[in-house]
Amino acid sequence: MSSTKADRKAADDAASWLFNVVTSVGIILVNKALMATYGFSFATTLTGLHFATTTLLTLVLRWLGYIQPSHLPLPDLLKFVLFANCSIVGMNVSLMWNSVGFYQIAKLSMIPVSCFLEVVLDNVRYSRDTKLSILVVLLGVAVCTVTDVSVNTKGFIAAVIAVWSTSLQQYYVHFLQRRYSLGSFNLLGHTAPAQAASLLLVGPFMDYWLTNNRVDSYAYSITPILFIVLSCSIAVGTNLSQFICIGRFTAVSFQVLGHMKTILVLILGFILFGKEGLNLHVVIGMIIAVAGMIWYGNASSKPGGKERRSLSMNGNKPQKHGGLPESTEVVDDKV
């Protein structure tokens, strides 16, 4: 790869991460204001509105010719929607049934689960430094976010479903883009309508079960409606940037470096919503987590830091990894 191409790729990678960080942090802060200040606690229905807005955008872009026709088999679409919707509902239920501390531990456990999926399904191998850097990130974020930890049976089951479905959904984003040569907008064009329809159908009932309030009984006024519109608008960028980042990298890299958003949310929450929750051990945790992310970026980019290995057909039967197309040569791919 020439120096110019390498520099361009590095710039594109940085822009992708910045896009994801800005939109993700933005939507968290907007939703926090919407739910905490204006009492709109219907998270599942709101997510359905997010995907409905994303669907409208993909339809407009397809009509304008910016998205080319593509194909995604129905079984793969249904599996993706199942994983994605279980992730959304599971995370909401896990937050309701578990302490905040255990909820954060469950979120952190998505990284080792994603690593497990890549090792088993894609035959990815990690270097020692890459593994250690992931542990440092987990330690730092745990110090920042994990406080009270209590667990019960139904909360534990909800957390397990949430963790595995989220990890599978993120793995599937990368898998589908590679297998069917789908761009981020193409994949969104296939998945967003199905997610919007299913979540808008199930969401009001799920939210009523979680909050004991009906979404149609909410006292709508101009300000919360503007916040809902703003949330939906930012969500388009959040959904797109997630697909772009996972497509360019992997689910594990998205999870590890994505914890930068956790750090930024803590800092911005301190600035915008008061000084509560920011103390010495939180600051130390932030420093440890950021150091781990820098180490991970450096370690995983080195030769042998993180590689996908597939066997050749030279004298051997081809092997499939996670349903991917059969390889015809020895490959040592950086991922």
Side-chain angles (χ1 to χ4, degrees), residues 113-323:
V113 171
S114 295
C115 290
F116 173 79
L117 291 175
E118 288 190 356
V119 169
V120 173
L121 300 179
D122 281 352
N123 203 22
V124 169
R125 294 294 178 264
Y126 299 90
S127 68
R128 184 189 64 178
D129 281 359
T130 303
K131 295 174 185 175
L132 290 175
S133 67
I134 291 174
L135 290 176
V136 171
V137 173
L138 291 173
L139 174 63
V141 178
V143 171
C144 286
T145 59
V146 177
T147 51
D148 61 311
V149 178
S150 60
V151 62
N152 55 76
T153 302
K154 65 179 184 179
F156 179 79
I157 293 173
V160 169
I161 293 173
V163 167
W164 277 93
S165 58
T166 301
S167 301
L168 284 165
Q169 181 260 343
Q170 292 183 356
Y171 171 82
Y172 235 58
V173 169
H174 191 69
F175 168 76
L176 293 175
Q177 289 192 51
R178 282 187 293 130
R179 182 168 191 179
Y180 298 109
S181 301
L182 296 172
S184 300
F185 264 124
N186 289 107
L187 186 56
L188 267 179
H190 289 292
T191 60
Q195 284 192 262
S198 56
L199 288 173
L200 288 176
L201 181 64
V202 175
F205 299 100
M206 180 62 62
D207 289 331
Y208 179 75
W209 178 52
L210 293 174
T211 66
N212 205 31
N213 291 309
R214 289 171 46 179
V215 66
D216 60 320
S217 299
Y218 177 77
Y220 293 93
S221 62
I222 186 65
T223 305
I225 289 175
L226 288 176
F227 268 94
I228 291 171
V229 172
L230 180 60
S231 178
C232 290
S233 301
I234 299 174
V236 174
T238 306
N239 292 331
L240 176 62
S241 64
Q242 183 196 46
F243 281 25
I244 290 174
C245 287
I246 296 178
R248 293 184 70 87
F249 310 102
T250 63
V252 172
S253 295
F254 181 76
Q255 283 283 345
V256 172
L257 301 180
H259 278 297
M260 178 59 72
K261 294 175 286 190
T262 304
I263 306 300
L264 289 176
V265 168
L266 288 172
I267 294 172
L268 291 174
F270 164 74
I271 294 171
L272 298 176
F273 301 108
K275 298 182 179 181
E276 294 182 7
L278 193 68
N279 50 44
L280 180 60
H281 88 268
V282 171
V283 173
I284 292 174
M286 290 179 183
I287 295 172
I288 294 172
V290 172
M293 292 173 202
I294 295 172
W295 188 11
Y296 174 83
N298 182 56
S300 62
S301 64
K302 289 181 178 179
K306 184 181 178 187
E307 295 176 335
R308 178 183 297 111
R309 302 175 186 273
S310 54
L311 299 178
S312 71
M313 288 179 59
N314 298 332
N316 298 313
K317 289 184 178 181
Q319 293 189 3
K320 294 183 180 180
H321 300 296

